[in-house]
Amino acid sequence: MGSENSALKSYTLQEPPFSLPAGLVVYPAVLQDGKLASVFVYKRENEDKVNKAAKHLKTLRHPCLLRFLSCTVDTSGIHLVTERVQPLAVALETLSAAELCAGIYDILLALIFLHDRGNLTHNNVCLSSVFVSEDGHWKLGGMETVCKVSEATPEFLRSIQSLRDQTSIPPEEKSAEFRTLQKTNGHARDAYSFGIMVESLLTILSEQVSADSLSGFQQTLSSMLLNPDPEGRPALCTLLSHDFFRNDFLEVVNFLKSLTLKSEEEKTEFFKFLLDRVSGLSEELIASRLVPLLLNQLVFAEPVAVKSFLPHLLGPKKDKQGEKRTGCLLSPALFQTRVIPVLLKLFEVHEEHVRMVLLSHIDAYAKYFTQEQLKKVILPQVLLGLRDTNDSIVAITLHSLAVLVSLLGPEVVVGGERTKIFKRTAPSFTKTVDVSPEGDEAPQPIQLSMNGVPPMRSASGDGTNFASNSKKSGEEWPDWSEPEEPNENQMVSIQVWPVESCDNPRPQFTNLTEEETWDDFEPTDPKASPGNGLSTAKEQKQDPIVLLPDKETETLKVNLPLKADPPGSWDNLKQMKLPQERALKAPSGFGLGEEYTIQVKKKPMQDPELDWFADMIPEIKPSEAFLILPELRTERRVPQDDVLPTLQFSSKFAATEATE
């Protein structure tokens, strides 16, 4: 035995140990791989009994039987290693009524398995033979006293007398005429011992269970299991249908254990009302007993469970900010200790329906993983979904990565070097503001440069390059929140060059697009300077004009200096094209430079006495100002000396009336 399992002796004993009858000591232990375990230390003279117990534990596998791991021989004694458990006597004070009822049911199932499937009898059913596992299940141990029904002779029972609980020995064994029980009554000894143990536990349940249910079960124990005649004791399987075991918790547990045997209608009805049934249970009971049964592949494959119940289990009652989550079942502490370990294992399951459920609720539970768990387990598993052929998996994976970015940071999730691509701006189309070093804001006039023409000077005399303004206006976005306030009666002053020849009277502006020419202009204050064209507007002859509406809200101010034509400038102008809607039209036959002369035709005033309905004509103030361009026909205008011709524009829209 020792040489066979010597390689498995890789565990560390912990304190404190638990002492059991007959000098047996149970140590909590940690295996080499980090799993928790328990080590039963026997004295060296009990080697035969330990071998027998190890044999039964290895061959008998049932959820309600103690699970065997290894057995080794040490100088301190014989070590029997099992799953991590603690004696029932130690955990009894912390168990609720539902847990006690479920535990009694577990031991009942274990005994039925031994009797019906193994044809065995335990011979020592008592509190010292029952243990509680980490998940809350009760486990039947003490397998040193187990034997075949036919082998339970008076001689064998006397040999294990020191290991048995004396209060659990049935009355027939105390008789001198005792003989080996028949096969049909082989369960009678364990039935009596089970009745004695349960009767002692019912005294604890008296304060938590209804009196009717408790008294009915006590009467069943006294009349059936504790019957002095072994032939009058029924098989233990007859107790499974007793009302004492008919409660929400046990019904949920039993249904989940047999889920694969249920019909679709039964499963739909069960998961539809499951939340109402478990809401009355304690959080500890749900976390320890129901979480492992509910968070698995079988439940995740049920659409009704995914829709109606699992959202309430995949998130705590409160998040880390203290905000309540309606309908959730577990507190954050229980959620982190009980649910998170189960979710870590589920992320390693590569099934589509499992991954879809997990990622659908990742924003509710992701923050409860540690940083190491997120980096080493969750993130690598989530990234696998990007390479899957299922489009739904890819889509929900991208959503989950956004959640992980907020927890791990973009450097961990995205990886690689990042660059600044998008700028942080605020829309402001109505104005361009230049912030001076002193913090003062002043509107800057926009100057237009056309085909080498030097930029104009503003009314204040400051020259500014148009390209710099264009660059600046491209960086500063307009403010959509400010309404446009067009200024009425603004004047636009245009200075033009005279040309020596006018083969093509239509001027062609270069390096101007519609966006650059008209979109970024700002209003200028007509009162800023007397030299802005207001003083000479009245002296000019008013000629017919053409009104072309523009999409901008501001009038323009463009100064073109009157200079000699640089060589090649006009040829370059003729080779370029202005957009059709911006071209200035002028017929041939005019003098030099007359095609640039813009005349304003004043609307003739009508005698109000002749028009009886003149006072009913509404005054229309347009919200936009329009660029006024010359009409097809203009009159010759010859500049005199150095006086610059100035044209007056009206910001009001007025259609030219045709006169006969």
Side-chain angles (χ1 to χ4, degrees):
M1 177 185 64
S3 60
E4 178 184 359
N5 299 287
S6 59
L8 298 177
K9 189 185 174 183
S10 53
Y11 54 83
T12 303
L13 298 180
Q14 296 180 331
E15 298 289 341
F18 305 107
S19 298
L20 297 178
L24 184 62
V25 180
V26 182
Y27 283 88
V30 179
L31 301 180
Q32 190 175 12
D33 58 0
K35 294 182 179 179
L36 302 179
S38 292
V39 178
F40 293 77
V41 181
Y42 295 83
K43 295 180 180 180
R44 294 293 296 268
E45 58 267 20
N46 296 325
E47 185 173 352
D48 292 340
K49 296 180 177 63
V50 178
N51 288 338
K52 190 174 183 180
K55 178 183 176 182
H56 289 306
L57 289 176
K58 284 192 293 184
T59 56
L60 299 173
R61 294 290 183 175
H62 189 271
C64 298
L65 292 178
L66 195 61
R67 185 161 56 90
F68 171 83
L69 296 179
S70 66
C71 187
T72 60
V73 178
D74 192 83
T75 56
S76 60
I78 304 172
H79 293 189
L80 179 64
V81 185
T82 68
E83 61 179 314
R84 171 66 68 89
V85 292
Q86 59 178 332
L88 176 60
V90 176
L92 199 57
E93 297 179 356
T94 61
L95 300 179
S96 63
E99 290 175 293
L100 286 172
C101 182
I104 294 172
Y105 191 82
D106 288 338
I107 302 303
L108 182 62
L109 292 177
L111 291 173
I112 293 173
F113 172 77
L114 290 178
H115 297 164
D116 297 348
R117 301 291 297 274
N119 196 25
L120 300 171
T121 176
H122 189 276
N123 302 318
N124 191 32
V125 180
C126 60
L127 290 180
S128 60
S129 299
V130 179
F131 304 89
V132 181
S133 65
E134 290 291 296
D135 59 2
H137 281 279
W138 288 16
K139 306 283 185 173
L140 182 61
M143 307 299 285
E144 307 93 303
T145 59
V146 174
C147 69
K148 293 282 187 179
V149 173
S150 59
E151 296 176 355
T153 62
E155 293 77 13
F156 173 78
L157 295 176
R158 281 194 294 268
S159 67
I160 61 173
Q161 187 74 21
S162 61
L163 300 177
R164 300 177 70 187
D165 184 69
Q166 299 302 313
T167 59
S168 300
I169 297 176
E172 64 270 13
E173 292 189 23
K174 300 177 182 178
S175 174
E177 301 176 355
F178 174 69
R179 296 292 182 266
T180 304
L181 296 176
Q182 298 295 325
K183 185 177 181 179
T184 55
N185 298 326
H187 63 276
R189 186 180 300 105
D190 290 341
Y192 183 87
S193 301
F194 178 75
I196 294 294
M197 183 187 72
V198 172
E199 194 175 45
S200 65
L201 294 174
L202 291 182
T203 58
I204 304 175
L205 290 172
S206 59
E207 299 178 357
Q208 307 179 48
V209 181
S210 63
D212 295 339
S213 175
L214 191 61
S215 61
F217 192 56
Q218 285 178 330
Q219 184 178 0
T220 301
L221 294 177
S222 301
S223 61
M224 299 176 64
L225 298 187
L226 301 180
N227 193 328
D229 184 5
E231 296 183 357
R233 300 169 196 158
L236 292 177
C237 59
T238 58
L239 295 177
L240 294 176
S241 58
H242 197 278
D243 290 342
F244 180 76
F245 298 113
R246 296 181 65 85
N247 55 65
D248 287 335
F249 174 70
L250 277 178
E251 288 180 357
V252 169
V253 170
N254 294 333
F255 190 95
L256 293 174
K257 287 182 177 179
S258 59
L259 187 63
T260 56
L261 304 177
K262 304 298 182 180
S263 64
E264 293 299 323
E265 292 76 11
E266 289 175 328
K267 291 187 288 187
T268 300
E269 187 72 14
F270 173 79
F271 287 112
K272 186 176 180 180
F273 300 100
L274 179 59
L275 181 62
D276 297 333
R277 302 182 70 175
V278 302
S279 296
L281 303 176
S282 65
E283 292 186 17
E284 292 77 9
L285 188 62
I286 297 174
S288 62
R289 299 293 299 274
L290 295 184
V291 164
L293 297 174
L294 289 168
L295 298 182
N296 57 46
Q297 296 94 314
L298 295 177
V299 177
F300 281 19
E302 299 296 330
V304 181
V306 173
K307 179 180 180 181
S308 302
F309 180 77
L310 288 180
H312 304 281
L313 193 60
L314 291 175
K317 286 184 175 180
K318 296 181 180 179
D319 57 18
K320 289 195 172 182
Q321 286 73 30
E323 297 181 2
K324 292 185 177 180
R325 301 173 62 92
T326 57
C328 293
L329 297 171
L330 301 178
S331 63
L334 276 175
F335 183 86
Q336 191 157 14
T337 56
R338 293 290 186 175
V339 177
I340 290 299
V342 180
L343 295 179
L344 283 174
K345 296 179 180 178
L346 286 175
F347 266 98
E348 298 178 359
V349 177
H350 293 173
E351 296 183 12
E352 287 185 356
H353 69 281
V354 174
R355 184 54 56 91
M356 290 293 293
V357 174
L358 290 176
L359 297 185
S360 298
H361 304 279
I362 193 172
D363 54 339
Y365 61 78
K367 61 179 71 70
Y368 292 93
F369 291 111
T370 64
Q371 289 291 311
E372 184 178 2
Q373 291 171 341
L374 287 172
K375 291 179 181 179
K376 295 185 177 181
V377 180
I378 304 302
L379 179 59
Q381 289 293 338
V382 171
L383 289 174
L384 290 176
L386 295 177
R387 302 198 301 267
D388 196 83
T389 56
N390 188 326
D391 294 343
S392 300
I393 292 288
V394 176
I396 201 168
T397 297
L398 293 173
H399 166 75
S400 303
L401 289 176
V403 176
L404 295 180
V405 165
S406 62
L407 300 175
L408 294 175
E411 292 80 6
V412 177
V413 177
V414 180
E417 297 182 357
R418 296 182 295 149
T419 59
K420 184 68 175 176
I421 299 176
F422 300 98
K423 297 181 180 179
R424 187 175 298 176
T425 56
S428 178
F429 284 125
T430 57
K431 64 181 180 180
T432 301
V433 178
D434 182 19
V435 181
S436 61
E438 293 78 17
D440 299 333
E441 297 184 2
Q444 300 296 326
I446 295 179
Q447 299 179 352
L448 181 64
S449 174
M450 296 184 292
N451 195 25
V453 178
M456 72 175 188
R457 290 187 176 270
S458 62
S460 60
D462 298 331
T464 309
N465 195 309
F466 174 72
S468 64
N469 276 351
S470 299
K471 179 179 179 182
K472 175 185 172 186
S473 62
E475 294 177 353
E476 296 185 6
W477 286 82
D479 187 2
W480 291 93
S481 61
E482 297 186 7
E484 298 178 353
E485 298 180 359
N487 297 327
E488 298 184 1
N489 300 324
Q490 283 192 338
M491 310 304 296
V492 176
S493 176
I494 299 179
Q495 297 179 358
V496 298
W497 282 342
V499 295
E500 298 179 359
S501 61
C502 190
D503 295 338
N504 187 0
R506 301 186 181 187
Q508 307 295 326
F509 296 132
T510 62
N511 300 328
L512 291 177
T513 63
E514 182 178 352
E515 294 290 334
E516 295 173 347
T517 306
W518 310 106
D519 289 357
D520 295 330
F521 286 114
E522 295 184 353
T524 56
D525 190 0
K527 300 179 181 180
S529 172
N532 61 359
L534 291 177
S535 59
T536 60
K538 296 180 180 180
E539 301 174 3
Q540 307 247 348
K541 182 180 180 180
Q542 298 179 354
D543 295 327
I545 63 171
V546 175
L547 300 177
L548 295 180
D550 193 274
K551 63 182 180 181
E552 294 298 329
T553 62
E554 314 294 349
T555 57
L556 310 179
K557 184 173 182 179
V558 181
N559 295 329
L560 299 180
L562 184 60
K563 294 184 178 180
D565 190 6
S569 297
W570 183 246
D571 295 337
N572 293 337
L573 286 172
K574 294 193 294 181
Q575 295 175 2
M576 304 302 296
K577 279 190 175 182
L578 190 67
Q580 184 174 359
E581 63 273 14
R582 306 297 182 193
L584 303 176
K585 301 179 181 180
S588 59
F590 293 106
L592 179 61
E594 285 190 11
E595 62 273 14
Y596 294 104
T597 302
I598 301 175
Q599 302 296 338
V600 179
K601 179 179 180 181
K602 182 180 295 185
K603 180 179 177 181
M605 300 300 296
Q606 202 171 19
D607 189 359
E609 295 295 330
L610 300 180
D611 189 359
W612 293 351
F613 301 96
D615 57 340
M616 300 179 64
I617 298 177
E619 181 181 359
I620 300 176
K621 295 183 178 180
S623 60
E624 296 184 354
F626 300 90
L627 173 65
I628 304 177
L629 299 179
E631 177 57 76
L632 291 178
R633 294 190 57 84
T634 60
E635 296 185 4
R636 180 170 302 180
R637 188 76 181 173
V638 179
Q640 299 177 358
D641 299 331
D642 293 335
V643 179
L644 301 179
T646 304
L647 303 181
Q648 179 177 357
F649 292 81
S650 174
S651 62
K652 293 185 177 181
F653 179 86
T656 304
E657 293 187 0
T659 58
E660 297 187 3

